[in-house]
Amino acid sequence: MTSPGSPWPSPASPPPEPGPPPVPVPAAPATKKQSGVRNAMEWVLIIAGALLVAFLVKTFLVQAFYIPSGSMMPTLKEQDRVLVNKLSYDLHDVERGDLVVFEGPDQAPGAVKDLIKRVVGLPGETVEARPDGFIYIDGKLLEEPYLGPGITTGPLEPTTVPEGHVFVMGDNRGNSRDSRFFGPIEQSSIIGKAFVRVWPVPDFRFFF
């Protein structure tokens, strides 16, 4: 815009001074009731997550079992607690000497549901106990360093283990109901391999 009679334009008006920056309005503080509900929800989620993890571990990985009798002495005593690896036999075959937990063949009410024994005979092998008190596999003497002093095995007629089965026995041969009574067990009935005793604490031990 020019002044009347002037050849030059008039200077522009200066820009307005900037105002103060906007001040954020603080959020209203949560009430005690809202805070308590939020904390409760957090604990519910934490506990639910922990239970889910425990369920998955118990179902697919590791489970604790207690020893119901003295049939595995001296290796395991009654009321000992062991951890069982449920993935072992998804990764490799059952091996002689393994301590396995399996579904007992007698599932009648009051019967012990799960048993623990030692694998002695493998599929296709012939197991027998001779009058000398020792186990023979396909005619060859089986060394059993895990047996207690003086423990022997009563006579057992030669028994051939079918495919898909194993022959199991308790280490306390005179006080164990095992494959000598109910025959070889199906490998599909094996829950897993006991790999460590966790209770009592002074007797903590790995089994290899």
Side-chain angles (χ1 to χ4, degrees), residues 108-199:
V112 177
K113 180 180 178 182
D114 302 317
L115 304 177
I116 181 168
K117 305 293 179 185
R118 189 182 297 275
V119 176
V120 174
L122 300 174
E125 296 181 338
T126 298
V127 182
E128 64 177 308
R130 296 180 179 176
D132 60 8
F134 295 107
I135 294 290
Y136 290 79
I137 304 292
D138 293 337
K140 297 180 180 179
L141 176 67
L142 174 65
E143 296 184 4
E144 299 187 278
Y146 39 79
L147 297 183
I151 292 182
T152 58
T153 306
L156 171 67
E157 293 296 320
T159 302
T160 300
V161 183
E163 290 299 322
H165 293 67
V166 291
F167 196 97
V168 297
M169 299 178 72
D171 290 353
N172 188 2
R173 297 292 160 78
N175 186 28
S176 174
R177 188 170 181 83
D178 46 42
S179 288
R180 292 172 293 174
F181 297 90
F182 48 70
I185 65 168
E186 296 183 5
Q187 293 189 47
S188 60
S189 71
I190 296 177
I191 297 170
K193 176 183 177 181
F195 68 97
V196 62
R197 174 171 50 202
V198 295
W199 186 266

Side-chain angles (χ1 to χ4, degrees), residues 34 58 87 90 98 105-106 149 151 180 191:
Q34 291 173 329
K58 179 180 178 181
L87 287 179
D90 291 330
D98 286 354
D106 182 7
I151 292 182
R180 292 172 293 174
I191 297 170

